[in-house]
Amino acid sequence: MLTLEKFEEASEAVKRVTSQTKLVYSEYLSEQTGGKIYLKPENMQRTGAYKLRGAYYKISTMTEEERERGLITASAGNHAQGVAYAAKAFGCKAVIVMPTVTPLIKVNRTKNYGAEVVLYGDDYDAACAHALELAEKEGYTFVHPFNDLDVASGQGTIAMEIVQELPTVDYILAPVGGGGLLTGVSTLAKMLNPKIQVIGVEPLEAASMTAALEAGEVVELESANTIADGTAVRAVGDKLLPYVKENVEKILLVEDNELIGVFLDMVENHKMVVENSGLLSVAALKQLDLKGKKVVCILSGGNMDVITMSSVVQHGLIQRDRIFSVSVLLPDKPGELVSVAAAIAENQGNVIKLEHNQFVSTNRNAAVELRITMEAFGTEHKHRIMDALEKKGFRPKLISAKLY
């Protein structure tokens, strides 16, 4: 069972390996919501995510014989690094099975902590099944990433720190994958102060906790296809579900495209890189009435590879009309390009790419196509530039924007 004594023991244990992640007050999010919004930046943890807490505490409760056999687990990345780091601290072998689609940064960091990495399957569930097979075959001790009450106790230490730093917190929002973080945080939060409302947030395309709560039992989804790869779990832990039923206020769902803009906000307004799954708690704020409330959003991790990061930034800029493309048809004669550029410049548009196509018409004297990709301050500014081009007689047509 999850008890206050276990949480207290875990809180003392994890201090040996975790960094202090003090709450960060967000003026930007507070202005948007009318509440006082704080961020719990577990993306700044030593392994880049909260998972180190549960992994270390779990391993600390094992016998010497269990550790000497070697440890094995399955993970999309954050638990992998937590187990690898903790295993190194205890001086034992660690084998990590990771899905083949795991971002390279997570694979390399796991290896750098001294673990042996096995890439297998398209998602966490396939990797987990393979890890269990290897555990039986080789005699390794399996460390479950979420469906384990010791692991959940370790993750719950986050609630201890939140309440110690902000005793009057009203809401705590936590991302949901398998449910270990939500279980630990909600159970301890209720023990410390029954008035605290803990809300879970999961991606719409991997809503395994929502499905389980609606069915009254664990349900395995057909797929968990989401850009929030750290929470792409098809079935939550059966050991955890009773605690979630008892201690969690509600589960909110977030669409993938909502995470894109939130990533941009976090980089620009807080100078922090947070992975998509870690942003679920922030993305869900707009679904709640938080006026006058004190709220903590747990940023569960920040292990995002640079290629994914660049893609999210590009899509975020396009999504918010800060980058857009137009097509205009011009007579093929000197001065026309200058006229278009002048109209854009007069309205503070910034051209970042031009494509000139003379073959759009068989009569190029009548029309050639100019595709312009430009930067704007947002939707209102974009419309102002479009109106200016229209007034100049260029008849601009919006087309799909691409930065490459």
Side-chain angles (χ1 to χ4, degrees), residues 68-260:
E68 285 174 1
R69 295 207 314 257
L71 310 176
I72 190 167
T73 193
S75 169
N78 290 334
H79 177 68
Q81 292 175 72
V83 170
Y85 189 99
K88 187 176 181 180
F90 281 100
C92 51
K93 177 181 178 180
V95 178
I96 317 293
V97 182
M98 308 178 82
T100 56
V101 294
T102 302
L104 183 62
I105 186 173
K106 293 183 179 182
V107 174
N108 287 341
R109 284 184 177 172
T110 303
K111 290 179 178 178
N112 289 341
Y113 291 132
E116 176 187 333
V117 173
V118 176
L119 297 176
Y120 185 92
D122 294 332
D123 57 18
Y124 159 75
D125 298 272
C128 185
H130 188 61
L132 288 169
E133 289 175 5
L134 291 176
E136 186 174 351
K137 179 181 177 182
E138 303 294 338
Y140 297 132
T141 301
F142 185 73
V143 184
H144 202 287
F146 52 85
N147 197 27
D148 182 291
L149 296 185
D150 287 331
V151 170
S153 295
Q155 320 303 25
T157 60
I158 291 175
M160 184 77 78
E161 295 173 11
I162 291 172
V163 174
Q164 286 174 345
E165 196 174 349
L166 189 65
T168 55
V169 59
D170 295 300
Y171 291 94
I172 298 175
L173 275 67
V176 185
L181 173 64
L182 183 64
T183 295
V185 168
S186 63
T187 303
L188 180 54
K190 289 295 185 182
M191 288 178 179
L192 298 174
N193 181 356
K195 293 182 179 179
I196 297 173
Q197 296 188 42
V198 179
I199 295 174
V201 189
E202 59 185 348
L204 180 63
E205 298 302 325
S208 49
M209 184 63 76
T210 298
L213 290 171
E214 288 177 351
E217 61 184 4
V218 173
V219 174
E220 184 169 345
L221 304 178
E222 290 185 7
S223 66
N225 186 16
T226 170
I227 63 171
D229 59 283
T231 50
V233 177
R234 283 188 283 163
V236 299
D238 62 335
K239 296 177 183 178
L240 311 177
L241 189 58
Y243 292 94
V244 173
K245 285 180 181 178
E246 183 177 350
N247 300 305
V248 175
E249 183 72 15
K250 65 176 74 173
I251 305 291
L252 300 177
L253 302 178
V254 169
E255 294 184 14
D256 278 3
N257 64 359
E258 296 178 70
L259 298 172
I260 295 171

Side-chain angles (χ1 to χ4, degrees), residues 255-321:
E255 294 184 14
D256 278 3
N257 64 359
E258 296 178 70
L259 298 172
I260 295 171
V262 177
F263 178 85
L264 215 56
D265 286 338
M266 199 58 59
V267 171
E268 292 188 321
N269 296 293
H270 299 93
K271 314 307 176 194
M272 283 197 290
V273 172
V274 183
E275 62 187 271
N276 292 321
S277 56
L279 293 169
L280 287 164
S281 57
V282 179
L285 288 172
K286 64 183 181 181
Q287 298 185 40
L288 299 167
D289 180 4
L290 301 173
K291 291 180 177 63
K293 302 297 183 181
K294 294 177 181 175
V295 185
V296 174
C297 295
I298 298 174
L299 308 180
S300 56
N303 292 315
M304 179 181 275
D305 68 287
V306 176
I307 293 174
T308 300
M309 201 183 307
S310 62
S311 176
V312 171
V313 169
Q314 175 182 320
H315 282 86
L317 292 171
I318 294 170
Q319 186 184 82
R320 296 196 166 182
D321 287 334

